[in-house]
Structure formats: structure tokens, C-alpha cells
């Protein structure tokens, strides 16, 4: 099940999500290469860990760590997909300019999509209970929190009416 949840996310992020994006700014080639290398390395690390080294007792799927982790992963993915939907639909076709995202977790944080992804990977880490999955969750937290902080700062500078009580990426905390 852990491997299936990991593969489901990778398929969404690598195949479905890019097809849903409307035309926007091109991604710099260097950024693309770094992201590709990171994803290939991480995919190998997670896959190898789960298929070769991780061992679970027969009743693992009923263990509270697995159930809590799987629910965290599932809720995080739902938040991530919903937040991506909100961002993709900020502008109507032909419309230009920037808008403040509203609805869903954007009512609480500037980086709702990032929050969803962080929650996904910490849920995945708890469900897997491997050092590799925990390391990836931490990497996701640090990288995505940094991006969310940049977005939050940009929103505050760009929009005078940006909600001042929104946190950066972790609801009610940061």
C-alpha cells in the first residue's frame, strides 16, 4: 500500500498535473534539471527502501501508525489537489494579472498547496516508518516552507488587501 500511494502521487504530479496547467511562465531549464534529478534520486531511494529493506508485521495495515499516516497522506493529497485547482482557476480565460487565492486552505495559509504536499509526505513517512521516507518528508518541509515564505512575502508586497492573518504554510503556526 505504501508503494501504491507513492506511485499514485508521482503519477499525479508527473503526468496529470502538467496537463492541467494553463500556459504560464516557462520553467528555467536548470530548475527543471535539478527537480528531475531530485525526483529520480528520491523515487529510487523510496522504491528501493520499500521493496528491498522495509519489513512490516502481518498486521501492519491495522497499526495506528499506518492508519494515521495513510489518512495524513490522503488528506494532504486532497488539500494539494484542491489548492492546485484553486490556483489554476484564479484567472478566467484571456484574463491577465495576479489575484489573491481564496477558499480551501488558502483561507489559513499562503502556501496551501505546499502545506498539502508537506502533510502528504509526513503521512507517507508515518505510514512507512522508514528513515528514507522521513528524510524525504523533512526535505519537503524545508524546501516547500522556503517557497511558501517567498510566495507569502510576494503576496504581502503585491496586494495591500492581502489577509494579514494568513500564516505562511502551517495553519495557525507559521
Amino acid at each position: 500500500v505504501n508503494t501504491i500511494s507513492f506511485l499514485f502521487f508521482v503519477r499525479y504530479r508527473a503526468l496529470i498535473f502538467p496537463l492541467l496547467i494553463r500556459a504560464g511562465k516557462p520553467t528555467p531549464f536548470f530548475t527543471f534539471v535539478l527537480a528531475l534529478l531530485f525526483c529520480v534520486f528520491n523515487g529510487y531511494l523510496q522504491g528501493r527502501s520499500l521493496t528491498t529493506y522495509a519489513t512490516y508485521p502481518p498486521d501492519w495495515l491495522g497499526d495506528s501508525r499506518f492508519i494515521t499516516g495513510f489518512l495524513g497522506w490522503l488528506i494532504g493529497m486532497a488539500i494539494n489537489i484542491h489548492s492546485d485547482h484553486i490556483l489554476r482557476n484564479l484567472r478566467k480565460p484571456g484574463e491577465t494579472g495576479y489575484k489573491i487565492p481564496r477558499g480551501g486552505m488558502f483561507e489559513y495559509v499562503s502556501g496551501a498547496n505546499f502545506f498539502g504536499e508537506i502533510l502528504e509526505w509526513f503521512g507517507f513517512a508515518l505510514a512507512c516508518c522508514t528513515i528514507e521516507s522521513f528524510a524525504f518528508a523533512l526535505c519537503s518541509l524545508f524546501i516547500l516552507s522556503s517557497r511558501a515564505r517567498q510566495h507569502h512575502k510576494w503576496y504581502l508586497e503585491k496586494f495591500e488587501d492581502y489577509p494579514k492573518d494568513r500564516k505562511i504554510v502551517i495553519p495557525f503556526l507559521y
Side-chain angles (χ1 to χ4, degrees):
V1 172
N2 294 336
T3 304
I4 293 169
S5 61
F6 179 74
L7 291 174
F8 183 80
F9 173 80
V10 170
R11 281 193 192 131
Y12 169 74
R13 191 50 83 196
L15 301 174
I16 297 168
F17 178 74
L19 295 174
L20 296 173
I21 296 176
R22 294 181 186 164
K25 295 180 194 173
T27 300
F29 184 71
F30 185 68
T31 302
F32 166 76
V33 169
L34 287 178
L36 178 67
L37 291 174
F38 178 80
C39 290
V40 167
F41 176 72
N42 180 59
Y44 171 78
L45 190 66
Q46 299 303 324
R48 178 90 172 164
S49 166
L50 291 172
T51 60
T52 306
Y53 302 109
T55 57
Y56 301 100
D59 60 344
W60 181 248
L61 297 181
D63 188 282
S64 61
R65 291 169 293 177
F66 176 81
I67 293 168
T68 304
F70 182 76
L71 288 174
W73 173 83
L74 195 61
I75 292 166
M77 178 166 267
I79 291 169
N80 192 356
I81 291 171
H82 183 251
S83 300
D84 286 345
H85 173 76
I86 289 171
L87 290 173
R88 279 193 314 273
N89 292 291
L90 279 176
R91 292 181 282 219
K92 295 175 182 147
E95 202 173 33
T96 59
Y98 294 100
K99 292 186 175 183
I100 298 171
R102 301 202 185 272
M105 290 303 294
F106 282 110
E107 296 302 316
Y108 304 97
V109 294
S110 296
N113 52 332
F114 301 133
F115 169 68
E117 193 161 337
I118 291 166
L119 183 56
E120 275 181 79
W121 293 121
F122 273 93
F124 180 78
L126 183 58
C128 294
C129 285
T130 65
I131 193 75
E132 295 85 0
S133 61
F134 183 67
F136 182 57
L138 284 177
C139 285
S140 296
L141 174 68
F142 295 134
I143 292 167
L144 297 177
S145 292
S146 173
R147 290 183 64 198
R149 188 175 58 249
Q150 291 169 337
H151 287 210
H152 185 75
K153 182 180 174 192
W154 183 87
Y155 281 127
L156 289 170
E157 291 170 358
K158 179 85 174 163
F159 298 101
E160 289 180 20
D161 61 337
Y162 192 74
K164 305 295 184 229
D165 58 338
R166 272 192 198 175
K167 297 296 183 185
I168 296 171
V169 71
I170 308 294
F172 311 110
L173 296 177
Y174 175 73

